[in-house]
Amino acid sequence: FTIGSKIDQDTLDELEEILLSSDMGFEVAESIKESVSKAYKNKEVENDTEIKLFIQDEIKSILKDGLENTGKPIQKINLNGPTIITIIGVNGSGKTTSIAKLTKSIVDGGHSVMLAAADTFRAAAVEQLTIWSERLGVEIVKPAKTGSDPASVVYDATELAIQKNVDFLIIDTAGRLHTQKDLMAQLHKMHNVIKKKIPEAPHETILILDGTTGQNAVVQGIEFGKVHDITGLIMTKLDGSAKGGVLIRMCKELQIPIRYIGMGEQIDDLETFSPEKFVDALFE
Amino acid sequence: DLTEKLTNVFDTVRSRGKLTEENIGQACDSVRKALIEADVNFTIVKDFISRVREQALGEQKVKKIKAGDYFIKIVSDELTSLLGEGNAEIPFVKDGPTIIMMCGLQGSGKTTTVGKLAYKLKNEGRKPLLVAADIQRPAAIEQLHVLGEQVGVPVFSKQNSTPPEICIEALAVAKSENADVIILDTAGRLHVDEELMNELHLINKKVKPHQTYLVVDAMIGQDAVNSAKEFNDRLELDGLILTKLDGDSRGGAAISIRHVTGKTIKFVGMGEKLDALESFYPDRLASRILG
Ligand SMILES: Nc1nc2c(ncn2[C@@H]2O[C@H](COP(=O)(O)OP(=O)(O)OP(=O)(O)O)[C@@H](O)[C@H]2O)c(=O)[nH]1
Ligand SMILES: Nc1nc2c(ncn2[C@@H]2O[C@H](COP(=O)(O)OP(=O)(O)OP(=O)(O)O)[C@@H](O)[C@H]2O)c(=O)[nH]1
Ligand SMILES: [Mg+2]
Ligand SMILES: [Mg+2]
């Protein structure tokens, strides 16, 4: 990364390191370096402080451009029944924990929540969500037994949520890799079951991404997006040292708004996404 | 695809199928891009590329093999050697149960891998005891009990006890169960969490596991070096396990964790079921990383 003799080469090397080590990916880093070179030639930036601010502004606008739901919290969409939210993503990304956190913030906001434990496969998955439902004091719909069809849990939960007129129904799904065709088909079927009951539902489909994930996050966004339109991302585990730079690609290439970030394992560790905070953290 | 790109770099009329400084430079740029997109740590990529460039420049006199094929061979050989040899052998001790401790970041696949390892060892005629040392994640203990039941091995868990206390008591339990392997399932933790890293260090000190394996998700990005280095510095790992390799992430993190710790990648997770634990083949992963 060299743009001219006025700018210290160490600074440029340091900036390249920040860009690449953040997980924003090769092409995004290259395009930022290009804009910086151009800006320098046009005298729009003249020293390293200005370059840093220039880069931060560039990233901020990518994160917000045309994405009016950036940082928008979950709100009632359905005025005649439950707002239904499906939570999807690969194994271990933080779905179940994020559901607990979302539920807390919704309940704190004065609305009612019902949970559906539609992970009928993994050991103790239902127990895990049940413990959270008890801590939160919300009703949970569980499968009849292990290995039963997740679509039937979704069906029962949707029925009950409508009947009881809860404000929100949040559906926990099993982790799955997008390379598993049968599991992606299963997810598709679950969404169709919901649609049959409420045509505009699910009103939100949130993809959960692990903050340590590299470039595969983009593939996850594409493939999970084929099952159902993704209305938002939650990136978890940003309380670690990972920067989550791949979010820049999620916005730029897939136009999926980032709604929240997970900052820990406790129920209050959920923050609505702030492009400003994110970009500051990139340079820490 | 990288092989095509590289073949095109060397097959132009100008280079006439020879290794020149110019086409080596172009080829190195393509490889650099491919490796970063594959999640290999960018500092490691830098050193790797300079070694490859040096080797390629030193071999300009090679006439027998086509230049492009020769360059590709340099790259994949270097990458394979960076990954190190796999070694699925577990060094069991003769005088008492062998203690294996699993550790790693949240959600990397530790508990599932404990189940898989127990399944493998039971099929090899051993008697593992599983230890539920994660007391903080909701239903973590239950999860291990379910897996133990599926495999058909005992699980030790205890209420109102700290993880170090549970692991110490497990040694006595292993005696009464006549177990010859003890596998400790620990809670996922951040390498930057002082308190939890101290807890792991304490378990290590009190229980002295014979084998400590870091369980890493194959889709992890640039941060892989940071967590792997910290766990290794605190615990002196004996091996690495790469999970979720049945996905399509390129797996470049394997290079990062191997390079920064110097430890062997012993197993790879290839699915959620108990039998989805395989030996590690560096040449297979090298070609996957190169894409
Ligand atoms: N540090 C940290 N840990 C988190 C965060 N979110 C989730 N976790 C932890 O990540 C691990 C996995 O979380 P789960 O909620 O079980 O993930 P999941 O996607 O439901 O997993 P599967 O259902 O098995 O696919 C747990 O140990 C959580 O406590 C976060 O924001 N920060
Ligand atoms: N596809 C696939 N999934 C896996 C593999 N290994 C683990 N998983 C899944 O990854 C998710 C997380 O696995 P766990 O064993 O709960 O992970 P953990 O490291 O114990 O999580 P914490 O205890 O919360 O830190 C589960 O859904 C597992 O079924 C693998 O090799 N392939
Ligand atoms: Mg879950
Ligand atoms: Mg676990």
Side-chain angles (χ1 to χ4, degrees), chain B:
Chain B
D1 133 88
L2 186 64
T3 314
E4 272 179 47
K5 233 186 246 156
L6 294 179
T7 310
N8 290 338
V9 166
F10 291 105
D11 272 358
T12 63
V13 171
R14 255 178 84 167
S15 65
R16 267 173 277 213
K18 285 207 188 66
L19 291 172
T20 66
E21 226 177 280
E22 181 186 4
N23 63 25
I24 288 173
Q26 280 183 349
C28 280
D29 286 346
S30 294
V31 173
R32 177 169 182 265
K33 180 172 193 280
L35 292 179
I36 291 175
E37 290 180 341
D39 294 325
V40 181
N41 178 267
F42 78 98
T43 308
I44 296 175
V45 171
K46 214 176 184 183
D47 298 336
F48 177 81
I49 293 295
S50 62
R51 278 206 310 284
V52 163
R53 172 173 282 132
E54 202 172 317
Q55 203 182 331
L57 287 172
E59 305 280 355
Q60 286 181 64
K61 306 176 201 67
V62 170
K63 289 202 178 55
K64 301 217 184 68
I65 316 175
K66 284 183 68 185
D69 293 343
Y70 189 73
F71 183 87
I72 291 167
K73 181 158 190 335
I74 293 176
V75 172
S76 68
D77 284 354
E78 271 295 320
L79 214 63
T80 305
S81 81
L82 255 191
L83 285 168
E85 290 287 319
N87 179 6
E89 288 308 314
I90 297 176
F92 294 101
V93 303
K94 300 285 183 319
D95 57 335
T98 302
I99 307 167
I100 301 174
M101 178 165 81
M102 301 291 210
C103 63
L105 298 176
Q106 289 88 348
S108 60
K110 298 173 290 301
T111 306
T112 308
T113 304
V114 169
K116 292 177 182 179
L117 199 53
Y119 177 82
K120 168 179 152 68
L121 296 179
K122 179 157 188 273
N123 286 346
E124 291 172 2
R126 302 201 178 260
K127 303 182 81 249
L129 168 72
L130 310 186
V131 180
D134 177 356
I135 60 171
Q136 80 94 14
R137 168 174 154 154
I141 296 175
E142 174 70 3
Q143 185 183 4
L144 196 63
H145 275 287
V146 170
L147 292 177
E149 220 163 291
Q150 288 174 353
V151 176
V153 296
V155 177
F156 173 60
S157 63
K158 183 161 185 178
Q159 299 295 340
N160 303 319
S161 250
T162 67
E165 291 169 343
I166 294 168
C167 293
I168 293 167
E169 191 167 335
L171 304 183
V173 174
K175 276 206 180 60
S176 64
E177 290 276 356
N178 224 352
D180 58 3
V181 187
I182 302 172
I183 312 180
L184 310 174
D185 182 23
T186 66
R189 67 204 64 217
L190 297 173
H191 55 288
V192 296
D193 186 326
E194 267 304 311
E195 190 178 331
L196 286 184
M197 290 306 284
N198 287 340
E199 175 191 91
L200 206 54
H201 182 82
L202 184 63
I203 297 176
N204 200 31
K205 198 165 109 205
K206 296 270 178 192
V207 172
K208 301 197 182 46
H210 302 101
Q211 294 281 292
T212 299
Y213 299 144
L214 180 69
V215 178
V216 181
D217 191 324
M219 60 186 99
I220 190 173
Q222 297 289 319
D223 199 53
V225 285
N226 300 325
S227 48
K229 176 166 193 315
E230 189 61 28
F231 275 92
N232 193 41
D233 287 350
R234 296 304 301 268
L235 300 174
E236 191 63 59
L237 303 170
D238 297 289
L240 309 166
I241 300 178
L242 202 60
T243 62
K244 306 177 205 172
L245 218 52
D246 46 316
D248 59 4
S249 70
R250 299 266 289 277
I255 297 200
S256 312
I257 63 178
R258 157 75 188 170
H259 189 263
V260 79
T261 64
K263 306 299 178 193
T264 310
I265 298 174
K266 296 191 76 66
F267 301 103
V268 295
M270 290 294 289
E272 296 188 77
K273 303 224 169 81
L274 292 170
D275 58 358
L277 191 69
E278 300 181 6
S279 310
F280 169 64
Y281 297 104
D283 52 346
R284 281 190 209 169
L285 190 56
S287 64
R288 172 180 177 142
I289 290 171
L290 284 173

Side-chain angles (χ1 to χ4, degrees), chain A residues 24-94:
Chain A
M24 66 173 61
F26 186 87
E27 304 218 342
V28 172
E30 287 295 297
S31 92
I32 288 179
K33 279 161 48 181
E34 274 203 8
S35 324
V36 171
S37 291
K38 215 189 260 152
Y40 184 71
K41 288 195 178 71
N42 296 338
K43 304 245 186 285
E44 292 168 41
V45 293
E46 311 220 317
N47 58 50
D48 7 315
T49 314
E50 291 182 0
I51 288 186
K52 183 168 164 220
L53 290 170
F54 179 84
I55 295 177
Q56 287 183 318
D57 283 342
E58 180 117 335
I59 295 175
K60 264 187 252 177
S61 58
I62 296 175
L63 294 172
K64 293 195 276 202
D65 239 356
L67 295 170
E68 54 178 42
N69 284 346
T70 299
K72 177 159 167 273
I74 296 288
Q75 286 158 354
K76 263 169 93 66
I77 292 176
N78 187 0
L79 303 170
N80 303 321
T83 295
I84 303 184
I85 304 167
T86 54
I87 302 292
I88 64 182
V90 301
N91 309 72
S93 56

Side-chain angles (χ1 to χ4, degrees), chain A residues 36-247:
Chain A
V36 171
S37 291
K38 215 189 260 152
Y40 184 71
K41 288 195 178 71
N42 296 338
K43 304 245 186 285
E44 292 168 41
V45 293
E46 311 220 317
N47 58 50
D48 7 315
T49 314
E50 291 182 0
I51 288 186
K52 183 168 164 220
L53 290 170
F54 179 84
I55 295 177
Q56 287 183 318
D57 283 342
E58 180 117 335
I59 295 175
K60 264 187 252 177
S61 58
I62 296 175
L63 294 172
K64 293 195 276 202
D65 239 356
L67 295 170
E68 54 178 42
N69 284 346
T70 299
K72 177 159 167 273
I74 296 288
Q75 286 158 354
K76 263 169 93 66
I77 292 176
N78 187 0
L79 303 170
N80 303 321
T83 295
I84 303 184
I85 304 167
T86 54
I87 302 292
I88 64 182
V90 301
N91 309 72
S93 56
K95 297 177 291 301
T96 306
T97 309
S98 298
I99 289 174
K101 295 173 183 177
L102 276 176
T103 302
K104 171 105 199 327
S105 79
I106 295 172
V107 163
D108 284 352
H111 290 114
S112 59
V113 179
M114 178 183 289
L115 299 180
D119 178 354
T120 61
F121 167 74
R122 206 208 70 209
V126 173
E127 285 74 1
Q128 185 185 1
L129 191 64
T130 302
I131 290 173
W132 283 119
S133 73
E134 289 166 354
R135 289 181 187 177
L136 291 158
V138 300
E139 187 163 359
I140 181 168
V141 174
K142 301 189 239 187
K145 57 176 162 55
T146 312
S148 58
D149 188 353
S152 65
V153 178
V154 170
Y155 182 88
D156 294 343
T158 308
E159 279 243 301
L160 195 63
I162 293 171
Q163 201 183 103
K164 296 209 164 181
N165 201 17
V166 290
D167 296 317
F168 292 90
L169 169 63
I170 308 180
I171 302 176
D172 190 12
T173 64
R176 69 203 67 220
L177 297 180
H178 47 279
T179 45
Q180 295 162 314
K181 297 264 171 288
D182 53 340
L183 294 185
M184 296 307 280
Q186 178 196 80
L187 197 58
H188 193 86
K189 178 173 169 210
M190 289 161 72
H191 283 74
N192 286 338
V193 164
I194 301 170
K195 271 203 184 325
K196 283 223 178 82
K197 288 237 162 261
I198 301 179
E200 323 77 62
H203 304 89
E204 296 253 29
T205 294
I206 307 286
L207 178 66
I208 311 293
L209 292 176
D210 186 319
T212 63
T213 307
Q215 304 310 299
N216 194 252
V218 178
V219 186
Q220 293 173 26
I222 295 170
E223 294 303 316
F224 276 90
K226 291 179 183 165
V227 167
H228 193 268
D229 244 1
I230 297 171
T231 59
L233 299 174
I234 296 180
M235 181 166 262
T236 61
K237 310 178 197 172
L238 286 181
D239 45 320
S241 58
K243 299 291 182 178
V246 71
L247 285 180

